[in-house]
């Protein structure tokens, strides 16, 4: 026992004490180093922000621009990845607020700083998130020379890489949709949002391939086709849109019903009335929203025969709302026959006040 106590006293406790002091010192040193680099990085960030803003807005000739950029490269740790990332982020921020020749100057600086090679290196990296980061750099800076590299990944076996490459390629090519049919199904919502954002922000003409997309077997492409037709108010393929009402995918079917409403496809009314009988409540409610817009005497007659005996309260309320929009006299006559219907009529009209 005494030997054990001696062992603790002369070996274990001193070792633990020294270890504690050592690691405490190490943590303090790391903290000091972190604070130092934080101040250093902030100073570089301010210098970079000031330089990029000044040189981008200045109308410099090519020789002066090259000289200024060269001097700036010597003043910052451009060899560090964090510095390159910081510069690219600043450029993207500026790019979003600039147009015309000023934006082109920014791309020139991007190239002079060799940041295009850095972004290209990210795309060639074996890590997927790095590749996507490189795609983002090129597309955000509208760096068209990057198209040739991005093009190699349009049919990549990895769905995430393929998706991001396609989005970047579409943006940079201003509407070359040659590989859009490779968009993966599993991230369809993300892809359609991205592509629709391209339409809004880049003002790209309607892709001619939309007439091909509407016949695709890929539901991602079908969703994209529907959203594209709605965005451009394209009604020539209304028959193909209406035919998609019979697709088994509920989310696609809802998109189609909404598209019929947005495009005011009156020719879909009969099909919607037939579909109404065999669809679940979610689809029925969406159909009623559309019939409220495109409905004719056919819809009025349909609702007149259904409302009073409809057992589902939510559905009945939507029916009353729809009929109230299409024919107030008919819905008034139903209210006289059924007290519950009259309460719903009063409720609907109260909401409209």
């Amino acid at each position: 026992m005494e030997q054990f106590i001696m062992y603790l006293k002369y070996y274990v406790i001193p070792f633990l004490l020294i270890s504690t002091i050592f690691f405490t010192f190490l943590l303090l040193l790391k903290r000091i180093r972190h604070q130092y680099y934080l101040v250093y990085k902030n100073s570089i960030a301010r210098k970079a922000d000031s330089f990029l803003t000044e040189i981008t807005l200045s109308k410099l000739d090519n020789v002066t621009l090259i000289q200024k950029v060269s001097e700036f490269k010597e003043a910052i740790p451009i060899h560090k990845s964090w510095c390159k990332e910081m510069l690219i982020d600043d450029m993207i921020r500026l790019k979003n607020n600039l147009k015309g020749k000023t934006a082109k100057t920014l791309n020139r600086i991007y190239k002079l700083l060799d940041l295009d090679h850095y972004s290209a290196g990210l795309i060639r990296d074996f890590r997927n998130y790095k590749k996507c980061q490189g795609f983002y750099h090129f597309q955000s800076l509208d760096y068209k020379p990057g198209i040739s590299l991005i093009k190699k990944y349009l049919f990549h076996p990895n769905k995430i890489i393929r998706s991001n490459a396609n989005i970047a390629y579409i943006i940079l090519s201003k509407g070359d949709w040659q590989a859009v049919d490779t968009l993966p199904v599993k991230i369809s919502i993300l892809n359609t949002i991205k592509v629709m954002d391209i339409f809004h922000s880049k003002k790209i003409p309607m892709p001619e391939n939309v007439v091909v997309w509407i016949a695709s077997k890929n539901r991602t492409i079908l969703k994209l086709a529907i959203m594209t037709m709605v965005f451009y108010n394209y009604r020539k393929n209304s028959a193909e849109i209406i035919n998609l009402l019979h697709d088994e995918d509920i989310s696609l079917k809802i998109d189609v019903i909404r598209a019929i409403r947005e495009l005011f496809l009156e020719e879909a009314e009969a099909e919607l009335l037939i579909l109404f009988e065999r669809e679940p409540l979610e689809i029925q409610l969406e159909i009623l929203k559309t019939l409220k817009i495109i409905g004719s005497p056919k819809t009025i007659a349909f609702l007149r025969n259904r409302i009073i005996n409809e057992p589902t309260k939510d559905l009945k309320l939507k029916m009353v709302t729809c009929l109230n929009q299409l024919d107030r006299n008919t819905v008034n006559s139903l209210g006289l026959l059924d007290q519950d219907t009259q309460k719903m009529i009063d409720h609907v009209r109260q909401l409209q006040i």
Side-chain angles (χ1 to χ4, degrees):
M1 185 66 181
E2 290 182 4
Q3 188 176 1
F4 177 71
I5 294 173
M6 291 288 290
Y7 179 77
L8 285 175
K9 183 177 179 181
Y10 291 104
Y11 294 99
V12 176
I13 294 176
F15 174 77
L16 291 174
L17 183 61
I18 293 170
S19 297
T20 302
I21 294 171
F22 174 76
F23 283 113
T24 302
F25 176 76
L26 197 65
L27 288 171
L28 285 171
L29 190 64
K30 188 176 180 181
R31 178 67 178 175
I32 293 169
R33 185 173 179 271
H34 173 74
Q35 289 295 328
Y36 169 77
Y37 272 103
L38 188 62
V39 172
Y40 177 63
K41 286 182 179 181
N42 287 338
S43 68
I44 297 297
R46 288 193 296 270
K47 185 182 293 186
D49 185 61
S50 176
F51 170 79
L52 289 173
T53 303
E54 181 183 350
I55 200 169
T56 303
L57 298 176
S58 301
K59 296 181 180 179
L60 303 176
D61 60 81
N62 193 49
V63 176
T64 307
L65 180 64
I66 293 173
Q67 183 183 349
K68 290 277 188 183
V69 171
S70 180
E71 292 172 357
F72 176 67
K73 285 175 71 174
E74 294 177 1
I76 61 170
I78 191 70
H79 60 286
K80 297 286 188 180
S81 294
W82 64 263
C83 185
K84 293 175 182 176
E85 289 288 346
M86 179 193 66
L87 287 169
I88 292 173
D89 288 343
D90 282 347
M91 288 181 175
I92 291 173
R93 177 179 55 80
L94 282 171
K95 186 80 173 183
N96 291 333
N97 296 305
L98 298 174
K99 293 181 180 179
K101 292 182 179 179
T102 311
K104 290 181 180 179
T105 302
L106 200 59
N107 274 11
R108 176 73 173 141
I109 298 168
Y110 175 68
K111 190 173 178 65
L112 288 172
L113 288 171
D114 293 323
L115 295 175
D116 57 327
H117 293 145
Y118 174 72
S119 298
L122 291 176
I123 293 175
R124 294 189 181 98
D125 196 286
F126 69 93
R127 290 165 291 187
N128 292 348
Y129 78 94
K130 289 287 186 181
K131 291 183 186 294
C132 294
Q133 191 177 3
F135 295 146
Y136 174 72
H137 289 171
F138 281 164
Q139 76 180 52
S140 298
L141 290 168
D142 199 24
Y143 188 69
K144 289 182 174 54
I147 289 177
S148 58
L149 180 58
I150 293 173
K151 205 169 183 179
K152 297 176 182 178
Y153 296 89
L154 294 181
F155 301 95
H156 195 278
N158 183 286
K159 292 179 179 180
I160 303 296
I161 294 173
R162 187 168 74 238
S163 168
N164 282 273
N166 270 275
I167 297 300
Y169 182 77
I170 290 169
I171 290 174
L172 293 174
S173 62
K174 299 296 183 185
D176 184 349
W177 305 88
Q178 62 170 309
V180 75
D181 57 346
T182 67
L183 291 174
V185 176
K186 290 186 178 179
I187 52 172
S188 60
I189 294 176
L190 176 61
N191 279 303
T192 49
I193 289 173
K194 284 181 178 179
V195 174
M196 294 312 297
D197 182 62
I198 295 171
F199 291 149
H200 282 279
S201 60
K202 302 296 180 180
K203 297 181 180 179
I204 294 175
M206 190 187 81
E208 296 179 0
N209 288 347
V210 71
V211 296
V212 178
W213 300 349
I214 199 67
S216 174
K217 300 297 182 182
N218 184 335
R219 286 194 172 93
T220 301
I221 309 304
L222 289 173
K223 283 176 173 285
L224 179 59
I226 293 165
M227 293 174 73
T228 303
M229 288 178 173
V230 170
F231 181 80
Y232 290 101
N233 197 30
Y234 185 80
R235 305 175 79 253
K236 290 184 179 179
N237 287 78
S238 59
E240 286 81 356
I241 295 175
I242 295 169
N243 189 53
L244 289 174
L245 286 170
H246 302 287
D247 193 276
E248 295 178 358
D249 187 271
I250 292 179
S251 65
L252 177 62
K253 193 175 293 186
I254 290 174
D255 286 342
V256 172
I257 295 169
R258 289 172 179 169
I260 291 170
R261 181 165 70 242
E262 295 292 332
L263 294 172
F264 202 75
L265 301 181
E266 295 175 301
E267 58 268 39
E269 181 186 19
E271 200 68 38
L272 287 173
L273 291 173
I274 295 171
L275 193 69
F276 186 89
E277 300 289 352
R278 58 175 183 265
E279 291 297 330
L281 180 62
E282 182 183 9
I283 301 294
Q284 288 179 325
L285 295 175
E286 202 64 46
I287 288 174
L288 288 171
K289 288 180 184 178
T290 298
L291 290 174
K292 181 180 172 182
I293 303 299
I294 68 168
S296 71
K298 290 181 183 178
T299 299
I300 294 171
F302 174 81
L303 294 174
R304 184 176 59 240
N305 296 328
R306 288 287 301 265
I307 285 178
I308 291 180
N309 297 320
E310 176 55 51
T312 307
K313 295 294 183 182
D314 290 342
L315 187 58
K316 184 173 181 177
L317 179 60
K318 285 295 181 183
M319 286 180 170
V320 169
T321 303
C322 181
L323 187 56
N324 183 66
Q325 178 70 25
L326 296 173
D327 189 344
R328 293 173 72 92
N329 292 330
T330 299
V331 80
N332 286 339
S333 64
L334 293 177
L336 296 174
L337 299 174
D338 179 56
Q339 187 177 3
D340 187 50
T341 302
Q342 185 59 52
K343 288 180 181 179
M344 289 186 177
I345 295 170
D346 294 338
H347 174 71
V348 168
R349 290 177 179 172
Q350 184 65 34
L351 292 176
Q352 293 175 344
I353 297 175

